Amino acid sequence: MVDRMSPSRPSHHKGPVRLKGRQLPDTTTDQRLLDSRGDADWVHTDPWRVLRIQAEFVEGFGALAELGPAVSVFGSARTRPDDPMYAAATDIAAKLCEAGYAVITGGGPGAMEAANKGASECGGVSVGLGIELPHEQGMNEWVDLGVNFRYFFVRKTMFVKYAQGFIVLPGGFGTMDELFEALTLAQTGKVTSFPIVLFGSSYWGGLVDWLRATMQTDGKISPGDVDMLHVTDDVDEAISYFVAKDR
């Protein structure tokens, strides 16, 4: 019987990885680091991306760790200043501020800008979590504490980790993505006591009806899952519902 751990078969340890046979390297990691400048392609490799992902988590955690109670407010970047939902977002953020909450948005234009404006003008903490996009948007001028991310999944972690819940205004795919991420985390118990308010019944009513009449009826979700969503057209009701659920 051949002893595969025999010293006659050399091995090499590369951090936690053990290499043998044809996998043995010709040089050590330190040699490759110090002996040659090489090209810059390595900055686009997956191991290097892991370090950048780690750095983004560290930066986000460090920036937001002392934020205190906060609410993530979502809505379309395409909401225009003359849209009633722009005014609603501003009012919602101001009243969240008065209730002692910081306001977190995606930091962009539209409903996000409106919410940041409401929080900033109120004297509260106005947070923007930006994302690198092919067509750069940049942070809106009402963001007082801004963090830019390369990776959506890191940014999404920050939206949930540092918020007591979500208030969601009419929006597109990005808004839907954040909404259903939160619903899934709440449904599976990954987050607890996480109020979700949908503001604008004419916009959200059809979706909620479909969830109840189709998804629930077909047994794809449990009775009561849809009740995690509270739909309203009243700013004061949105705030009072949120505060009551959070406390």
Side-chain angles (χ1 to χ4, degrees):
M1 179 175 178
V2 177
D3 181 4
R4 293 185 176 275
M5 297 301 292
S6 170
S8 63
R9 194 161 179 259
S11 66
H12 175 85
H13 289 271
K14 184 179 179 181
V17 179
R18 189 185 69 181
L19 304 172
K20 302 183 81 170
R22 294 181 180 179
Q23 298 300 312
L24 289 173
D26 295 326
T27 60
T28 68
T29 302
D30 281 341
Q31 285 175 327
R32 290 191 294 277
L33 171 65
L34 299 173
D35 284 352
S36 174
R37 293 179 182 272
D39 57 41
D41 289 346
W42 59 275
V43 301
H44 303 295
T45 62
D46 285 342
W48 181 248
R49 288 191 183 100
V50 170
L51 295 179
R52 283 206 292 222
I53 291 165
Q54 175 181 290
E56 289 207 349
F57 275 114
V58 171
E59 288 294 333
F61 292 161
L64 302 173
E66 299 178 355
L67 184 60
V71 181
S72 290
V73 179
F74 297 103
S76 177
R78 304 182 186 189
T79 302
R80 298 174 59 85
D82 58 355
D83 188 320
M85 285 299 166
Y86 189 99
T90 304
D91 197 14
I92 286 169
K95 291 187 176 181
L96 285 171
C97 166
E98 291 170 1
Y101 293 95
V103 171
I104 305 172
T105 79
M112 294 174 283
E113 175 187 282
N116 286 131
K117 178 181 178 181
S120 182
E121 288 184 334
C122 171
V125 182
S126 174
V127 180
L129 305 181
I131 186 70
E132 180 183 20
L133 295 172
H135 304 289
E136 188 62 44
Q137 290 181 341
M139 291 281 184
N140 68 68
E141 63 176 315
W142 298 102
V143 171
D144 300 319
L145 171 58
V147 185
N148 277 303
F149 296 92
R150 286 187 177 93
Y151 300 101
F152 268 110
F153 57 87
V154 179
R155 180 183 184 234
K156 288 164 73 173
T157 299
M158 304 301 157
F159 279 132
V160 175
K161 177 173 175 57
Y162 292 102
Q164 271 60 54
F166 289 175
I167 294 182
V168 190
L169 290 92
F173 288 164
T175 302
M176 290 285 191
D177 180 46
E178 299 295 349
L179 168 61
F180 280 98
E181 174 95 5
L183 277 174
T184 302
L185 291 172
Q187 182 197 47
T188 55
K190 297 296 185 181
V191 293
T192 58
S193 184
F194 201 81
I196 304 172
V197 176
L198 300 182
F199 192 86
S201 61
S202 63
Y203 191 87
W204 297 111
L207 172 63
V208 174
D209 289 345
W210 179 83
L211 292 174
R212 202 180 299 278
T214 302
M215 194 176 283
Q216 180 176 310
T217 299
D218 203 39
K220 300 301 187 289
I221 57 175
S222 300
D225 282 350
V226 183
D227 295 335
M228 291 187 292
L229 299 170
H230 182 79
V231 183
T232 183
D233 295 305
D234 184 86
V235 171
D236 290 329
E237 181 185 340
I239 305 304
S240 61
Y241 173 84
F242 190 93
V243 172
K245 284 288 185 179
D246 181 42
R247 297 176 183 174

